[in-house]
Amino acid sequence: MKVISYFCLFLSLILPSSALSQRINHTINSGWLFQKGEVDAASEVKNPEEWTRVNLPHTWNLADVEDEPRGYYRGPGWYAKVLRVPAEWENKQVFIHFEGANQEATVFLNGKQLGHHIGGYTAFRFNLTP
């Protein structure tokens, strides 16, 4: 344990403070749209009023035992959000980081697949830069 602590301390001493301060974390957990069922991933959300507005984290099965028809929904669910990228992020690496998603998640940006993640409630990220 001491070796790791000393190593981290050594790294913090040799890295310039500007290198440590360049990472910016920006939370986008609020203002998402959610829809159960199949959605065309290549198209925009045509009727956002038909989607449910949610904040993350979110679970779509919370009321499944209380609503009709009874049962646990096991189909696809879609989340959508418009991301506004500030001008100061130009020429910088931009990643989207998820702290977890249940079982599988496929992430799209502007209709193009960024990546696919398998692993219940494990963190993952994709590069938005390209």
Side-chain angles (χ1 to χ4, degrees):
M1 188 66 140
K2 288 183 182 181
V3 173
I4 293 172
S5 299
Y6 293 136
F7 181 70
C8 291
L9 176 62
F10 176 72
L11 278 179
S12 67
L13 293 175
I14 63 169
L15 286 175
S17 63
S18 62
L20 297 173
S21 65
Q22 290 180 357
R23 176 178 282 175
I24 299 169
N25 289 321
H26 181 75
T27 301
I28 57 170
N29 286 351
S30 61
W32 286 79
L33 298 175
F34 171 74
Q35 178 72 35
K36 282 183 184 178
E38 292 296 335
V39 172
D40 180 8
S43 68
E44 296 179 16
V45 175
K46 303 227 186 306
N47 300 310
E49 65 279 353
E50 294 176 6
W51 290 57
T52 303
R53 295 192 179 278
V54 299
N55 295 322
L56 301 181
H58 172 253
T59 179
W60 69 56
N61 294 97
L62 186 62
D64 276 1
V65 296
E66 300 169 357
D67 63 0
E68 295 297 331
R70 291 205 183 268
Y72 183 76
Y73 178 72
R74 296 187 193 296
W78 289 83
Y79 293 86
K81 182 171 180 74
V82 173
L83 297 176
R84 308 228 184 270
V85 179
E88 61 265 18
W89 291 6
E90 188 174 350
N91 299 320
K92 295 191 180 189
Q93 293 285 312
V94 179
F95 293 82
I96 187 163
H97 175 83
F98 295 89
E99 292 180 351
N102 185 19
Q103 297 187 16
E104 290 191 48
T106 304
V107 179
F108 295 86
L109 177 66
N110 297 332
K112 295 180 183 162
Q113 184 175 329
L114 286 178
H116 183 79
H117 173 77
I118 298 174
Y121 302 110
T122 57
F124 58 99
R125 73 177 55 190
F126 296 112
N127 190 342
L128 302 181
T129 308

